[in-house]
Amino acid sequence: MPVIHSFFADEATESVIFVGVKWLSQNWHQAAFVCVFDNGDISMSDPVVQDGRSFGYLTQFLIVLTCSMPKSYLKQSNFTLSLSVLNITNLDEAFVDTYENLTVCRPGIWPVKRYFLAMCTMVRNMDPFLPEWVEYHAYIGVEHFYIYDNAPYKNSTLRETMKPYIDAGYVTVVPWPHRPSSGKTFLEIQIAHENDCIWRHKHDVDWMIKVDVDEFVQPMNPLKPKIPDYLIDDSTLETLSSIRLDNWFFGRPNRTTFSYKSDSIFERNQYRPGRPTPQNIGRDKNILQLKNVYYFKIHGVKLGGSARSADPYHELRMVHYRMDNPRHRTFDLPDFRTLDTSMVQTWTEAKRHFDQILGRS
């Protein structure tokens, strides 16, 4: 059977969706799957679309399965089913293999709240980065944040850290304590969370920013100070699957050390190189138009609509504070020689805004 990382009921399409990651040699797109519901109803899955586009080191490929739900299940809070591979070579044995008694949950509230612009990311023990990341992006137009928590549930402090933002309606924390399958890398977990987030929110989020928590989207046109300003009133956007963001590292001269308690990430890192990182070398990130995305992997859409690159000088750029990320201290970084205080100015406004919202003195 395919390795399945998540499955859920999608009431917008009246279907159950399964998301997983596979090796290229696994030809699941040639197989026939069936969902057997606990009331005895049987539903054939839609044809599996092959993911044949290679990205990156130890390439891993995606699989998405969809089965229609019986009408009687649409309002149930949960139900069980079995997912099986249909045996098409031996009619005496109906199924080759089966995942049995899977409990499928529906959204807690339906219809769900719609957002024009949201963000989705995965973290593991990165709590110090998150308040500034959320407050900055909320100030410039992000309405909601889906944060996948890869820490073991019993050890995680993320819900406690994010409680003010959860209570204020900005953040949803999604438990995601998966570990890589045998022979695969951590990329499996990252790719799976990205596509789970995309498929869960195809019908309630128009645009989704996919960046890490040391990466910040910066509007560059003073007449368009919010991210949604670049996503509206443009008919050419209709068929796009993504707007690509050029990476621009920010840091400190001479790699000086810091304390998480000293200033903000913006104030600690006010220098940059003279130009952004070249495109297509694994540093670009994306703002995704979810209705036009089918398969996605970290730095680009694998299957979906066309893409457009934002002008990093006059439209949008991605400011990357990689120097402060404790997981990447050995990362190859450029020389930071050009002073640029523009992010500090925006952060000052964002912090003042959230001081009022959260009642901070």
Side-chain angles (χ1 to χ4, degrees), residues 147-218:
I147 302 175
Y148 283 59
D149 185 6
N150 188 236
Y153 189 81
K154 65 180 181 180
N155 298 331
S156 174
T157 59
L158 184 58
R159 290 180 181 274
E160 181 180 351
T161 299
M162 302 311 295
K163 188 177 187 305
Y165 310 98
I166 295 171
D167 292 346
Y170 285 102
V171 168
T172 297
V173 174
V174 181
W176 197 257
H178 294 293
R179 292 294 174 268
S181 305
S182 176
K184 295 182 181 177
T185 70
F186 189 75
L187 287 179
E188 174 192 8
I189 309 306
Q190 186 170 354
I191 297 164
H193 107 267
E194 291 171 336
N195 289 274
D196 178 87
C197 195
I198 289 168
W199 280 84
R200 282 184 190 271
H201 300 292
K202 274 182 176 290
H203 306 288
D204 57 65
V205 173
D206 293 329
W207 293 88
M208 180 80 77
I209 300 173
K210 274 300 296 134
V211 298
D212 296 328
V213 295
D214 58 356
E215 299 168 336
F216 294 73
V217 181
Q218 183 182 19

Side-chain angles (χ1 to χ4, degrees), residues 16 18 34-43 68-74 76-83 99-105:
V16 180
F18 303 82
V34 295
C35 291
V36 182
F37 294 85
D38 54 12
N39 68 349
D41 285 0
I42 297 177
S43 172
S68 297
M69 284 192 296
K71 294 287 186 181
S72 59
Y73 281 60
L74 293 179
Q76 292 189 26
S77 60
N78 60 75
F79 54 87
T80 61
L81 59 73
S82 296
L83 176 69
Y99 284 128
E100 295 183 338
N101 299 321
L102 304 177
T103 300
V104 180
C105 299

Side-chain angles (χ1 to χ4, degrees), residues 238-272:
E238 181 62 25
T239 60
L240 285 188
S241 63
S242 72
I243 294 177
R244 299 176 62 189
L245 304 170
D246 282 13
N247 177 84
W248 209 320
F249 286 114
F250 271 54
R252 300 176 295 280
N254 303 319
R255 311 291 175 90
T256 52
T257 59
F258 72 98
S259 165
Y260 280 123
K261 296 181 180 179
S262 66
D263 304 315
S264 66
I265 196 170
F266 311 96
E267 294 162 303
R268 291 192 299 267
N269 300 278
Q270 300 187 46
Y271 288 82
R272 58 170 173 79

Side-chain angles (χ1 to χ4, degrees), residues 56-334:
Y57 173 68
L58 283 179
T59 305
Q60 292 154 75
F61 296 81
L62 289 152
I63 180 170
V64 174
L65 301 169
T66 58
C67 285
S68 297
M69 284 192 296
K71 294 287 186 181
S72 59
Y73 281 60
L74 293 179
K75 299 303 179 183
Q76 292 189 26
S77 60
N78 60 75
F79 54 87
T80 61
L81 59 73
S82 296
L83 176 69
S84 302
V85 179
L86 190 64
N87 192 341
I88 58 177
T89 61
N90 183 0
L91 299 180
D92 293 331
E93 185 177 354
F95 304 133
V96 176
D97 209 347
T98 300
Y99 284 128
E100 295 183 338
N101 299 321
L102 304 177
T103 300
V104 180
C105 299
R106 66 183 288 271
I109 301 174
W110 185 263
V112 295
K113 185 174 181 179
R114 287 196 58 86
Y115 299 107
F116 179 74
L117 178 63
M119 295 186 82
C120 185
T121 197
M122 183 178 73
V123 298
R124 180 180 171 88
N125 303 327
M126 296 291 284
D127 294 29
F129 283 90
L130 283 160
E132 293 174 354
W133 188 80
V134 167
E135 292 184 19
Y136 169 86
H137 285 108
Y139 179 70
I140 58 171
V142 176
E143 298 167 86
H144 200 76
F145 301 79
Y146 299 97
I147 302 175
Y148 283 59
D149 185 6
N150 188 236
Y153 189 81
K154 65 180 181 180
N155 298 331
S156 174
T157 59
L158 184 58
R159 290 180 181 274
E160 181 180 351
T161 299
M162 302 311 295
K163 188 177 187 305
Y165 310 98
I166 295 171
D167 292 346
Y170 285 102
V171 168
T172 297
V173 174
V174 181
W176 197 257
H178 294 293
R179 292 294 174 268
S181 305
S182 176
K184 295 182 181 177
T185 70
F186 189 75
L187 287 179
E188 174 192 8
I189 309 306
Q190 186 170 354
I191 297 164
H193 107 267
E194 291 171 336
N195 289 274
D196 178 87
C197 195
I198 289 168
W199 280 84
R200 282 184 190 271
H201 300 292
K202 274 182 176 290
H203 306 288
D204 57 65
V205 173
D206 293 329
W207 293 88
M208 180 80 77
I209 300 173
K210 274 300 296 134
V211 298
D212 296 328
V213 295
D214 58 356
E215 299 168 336
F216 294 73
V217 181
Q218 183 182 19
M220 300 302 293
N221 184 344
L223 300 178
K224 295 183 174 183
K226 308 292 185 181
I227 300 174
D229 295 337
Y230 300 84
L231 305 175
I232 58 176
D233 299 330
D234 185 346
S235 60
T236 65
L237 297 175
E238 181 62 25
T239 60
L240 285 188
S241 63
S242 72
I243 294 177
R244 299 176 62 189
L245 304 170
D246 282 13
N247 177 84
W248 209 320
F249 286 114
F250 271 54
R252 300 176 295 280
N254 303 319
R255 311 291 175 90
T256 52
T257 59
F258 72 98
S259 165
Y260 280 123
K261 296 181 180 179
S262 66
D263 304 315
S264 66
I265 196 170
F266 311 96
E267 294 162 303
R268 291 192 299 267
N269 300 278
Q270 300 187 46
Y271 288 82
R272 58 170 173 79
R275 62 188 63 185
T277 307
Q279 292 183 348
N280 301 317
I281 62 170
R283 299 288 174 264
D284 315 334
K285 291 296 178 69
N286 296 265
I287 306 177
L288 303 174
Q289 187 166 207
L290 297 191
K291 68 178 183 179
N292 295 332
V293 180
Y294 199 90
Y295 289 145
F296 178 78
K297 182 179 178 183
I298 305 174
H299 298 289
V301 174
K302 300 186 80 178
L303 184 61
S306 57
R308 173 195 299 176
S309 294
D311 182 340
Y313 297 94
H314 303 105
E315 294 180 322
L316 298 165
R317 68 179 177 184
M318 187 183 74
V319 173
H320 194 169
Y321 296 113
R322 194 66 172 256
M323 181 180 287
D324 278 12
N325 190 331
R327 297 184 181 277
H328 302 285
R329 291 289 170 79
T330 60
F331 197 78
D332 186 22
L333 294 170

